[in-house]
Amino acid sequence: MAGALPDGEPVPLDGSLPATATAHVGKDGFAVYVHVPFCASRCGYCDFNTYTASELGGGVSRETYAETVLQELKLARRTIDPARVDTVFFGGGTPTLLDADDLGRILHGIDDAWGLAPDAEITTEANPESVDPDYLRRLRGHGFNRISLGMQSAAPGVLRILDRKHTAGRAPQAAVEAREAGFEHVNLDLIYGTPGETADDFATSLRKVVEAGVDHVSAYALIVEDGTRMAARMRRGEIPYPSDDVAADRYLAAEAALSEAGFRWYEVSNWATSDEARCRHNLLYWTGADWWGLGPGSHSHVGGVRWWNVKHPAAYGKRLLDGVSPGQGRELLSDEDRHVEDVMLRVRLRDGIALDRVDPVGAKQALANGLLDPQAYESGRLVLTLRGRLLADAVIRDVV
């Protein structure tokens, strides 16, 4: 929807923000997301704003990307002044296709602009084949203390269906190398429910994750997005569509294996070995904090104003070269918008949400259906049971 300020004026696209949005910026935490849109190859299931070298065209390159992001950071610094930056997350794409020193330059620029909290969580995503021990040591030297590696599966056949380029054993080995390089927290990402994946395949993936000694695991059911190569293959009948029943079985297997290994769920798709191992950056998103997204296609949120940058890296770079905001659109979230989003995100958390924030009729029905924890309900909170986690989307629809 098109946003407007309380007095009816449009939300500007010139890089400025209304005083109502910036008055308390960062009071509930402040995060910075840095989007790196480059990929060595495109996975068949991916619909993210990413580009291979052949898709980029002119006007943008990995070598100059850090400087382009720092130009946006100058604009951001003039726009807001949070007390501190609590978390920084480099995502993509594959951020580690950039030189480690370039990622360090961007991180140090964020510190110079706004100041990193002494205990700031600094994360980068990485494909396992894009890092080696030397690269990881250099990242750690720049202040990165958390890494999220895209493992997806330990089964070679599943990796082929997903168009992943790393070998089956590379992701766990990269996790070990990250620990040896001094990373305090290491995550491995899994995807389950891929056509052709067996129960034994997924059990092996879970076992390899645990053996790698990581302290965080994210596991997501395969979602087939329109416009992807995988969606086209399914339409042609080359591979079957994912099964909801299989996905539920895989989720239960993940919960059982990870719980036995000492992990504890804190969000429907995320498990950690301790509170300190949880992804603080994502928790800021899920609890309504402010954040600035740097890079093409990045989304930001400050004080109820949400905006997003132009998607293509060349267009993003040209705007900054011309000295104008890369923002493409903005909206001012109403109180109702913010309430709905708050419920949608907090219901998925282990801490849940206060019952007085949700529809009482829907909550009572979810309790009767065994989807909510009775003890938490009695104490005034909505917290999902294991069965409720399997049906989280349905619970959310009923209680919004």
Side-chain angles (χ1 to χ4, degrees):
M1 66 179 181
L5 303 181
D7 61 4
E9 296 180 6
V11 177
L13 288 172
D14 60 0
S16 64
L17 287 170
T20 52
T22 59
H24 305 290
V25 61
K27 70 179 178 64
D28 296 319
F30 187 78
V32 177
Y33 173 76
V34 183
H35 186 65
V36 180
F38 308 115
C39 279
S41 61
R42 180 172 295 281
C43 299
Y45 61 91
C46 180
D47 73 336
F48 294 164
N49 185 40
T50 60
Y51 304 83
T52 63
S54 63
E55 295 169 334
L56 277 171
V60 63
S61 72
R62 297 179 194 173
E63 291 72 26
T64 60
Y65 188 70
E67 186 59 39
T68 305
V69 171
L70 291 172
Q71 290 299 314
E72 185 185 359
L73 187 58
K74 291 179 182 178
L75 169 65
R77 184 178 185 177
R78 296 198 303 267
T79 304
I80 59 171
D81 185 23
R84 68 192 181 283
V85 175
D86 297 292
T87 67
V88 181
F89 194 105
F90 287 71
T94 307
T96 44
L97 285 179
L98 298 187
D99 189 274
D101 291 342
D102 282 339
L103 295 183
R105 284 180 61 209
I106 297 171
L107 179 60
H108 298 315
I110 294 168
D111 191 17
D112 289 341
W114 289 318
L116 295 172
D119 64 342
E121 175 192 86
I122 314 296
T123 304
T124 186
E125 293 181 333
N127 279 342
E129 74 279 11
S130 69
V131 296
D132 59 26
D134 177 67
Y135 188 99
L136 292 166
R137 285 191 294 269
R138 290 166 62 204
L139 275 183
R140 187 69 188 94
H142 284 297
F144 287 79
N145 51 33
R146 186 175 185 276
I147 190 165
S148 179
L149 294 155
M151 176 176 169
Q152 318 315 355
S153 177
V158 174
L159 292 176
R160 284 194 296 272
I161 291 292
L162 294 173
D163 292 321
R164 299 291 292 182
K165 301 306 179 186
H166 60 85
T167 59
R170 177 55 198 153
Q173 181 59 37
V176 171
E177 292 169 359
R179 282 292 200 192
E180 292 173 345
F183 279 81
E184 297 171 27
H185 302 295
V186 180
N187 171 66
L188 283 171
D189 274 344
L190 293 175
I191 289 177
Y192 56 84
T194 301
E197 179 192 63
T198 67
D200 285 345
D201 288 336
F202 190 56
T204 299
S205 297
L206 291 166
R207 185 178 72 254
K208 295 294 186 181
V209 163
V210 172
E211 290 173 350
V214 299
D215 61 357
H216 191 285
V217 178
S218 299
Y220 300 96
L222 176 67
I223 296 175
V224 182
E225 302 288 357
D226 289 341
T228 62
R229 188 160 60 247
M230 180 172 281
R233 294 187 65 192
M234 288 179 177
R235 283 196 304 272
R236 292 193 298 265
E238 296 175 11
I239 53 176
Y241 285 91
S243 161
D244 290 342
D245 290 340
V246 168
D249 289 343
R250 300 287 187 269
Y251 186 89
L252 294 174
E255 171 64 18
L258 294 173
S259 295
E260 184 178 355
F263 290 82
R264 187 183 189 209
W265 80 281
Y266 70 97
E267 193 273 343
V268 168
S269 299
N270 290 272
W271 291 258
T273 57
S274 66
D275 287 350
E276 293 73 26
R278 298 181 303 173
C279 180
R280 290 166 50 199
H281 184 85
N282 284 343
L283 282 168
L284 288 179
Y285 287 164
W286 297 331
T287 55
D290 296 321
W291 75 88
W292 192 292
L294 299 164
S298 290
H299 284 232
S300 304
H301 169 266
V302 172
V305 178
R306 181 162 53 209
W307 68 95
W308 48 94
N309 287 344
V310 292
K311 291 186 69 173
H312 198 280
Y316 167 80
K318 184 177 187 308
R319 288 202 182 191
L320 289 166
L321 186 65
D322 293 342
V324 299
S325 167
Q328 184 177 41
R330 295 193 181 187
E331 60 183 355
L332 182 69
L333 302 176
S334 67
D335 289 344
E336 178 62 20
D337 292 333
R338 300 185 76 176
H339 169 74
V340 169
E341 292 189 3
D342 192 52
V343 172
M344 290 175 64
L345 294 170
R346 288 183 186 266
V347 165
R348 293 177 58 88
L349 298 177
R350 185 182 187 95
D351 293 338
I353 188 171
L355 283 172
D356 61 11
R357 297 276 296 154
V358 303
D359 177 74
V361 175
K364 185 174 292 187
Q365 186 61 54
L367 177 69
N369 291 337
L371 307 181
L372 304 183
D373 183 302
Q375 188 174 355
Y377 190 90
E378 286 300 316
S379 66
R381 295 198 69 78
L382 183 155
V383 175
L384 297 173
T385 60
L386 177 55
R387 183 165 180 266
R389 284 148 63 188
L390 291 173
L391 298 171
D393 290 345
V395 174
I396 291 167
R397 286 194 300 270
D398 289 342
V399 303
V400 167

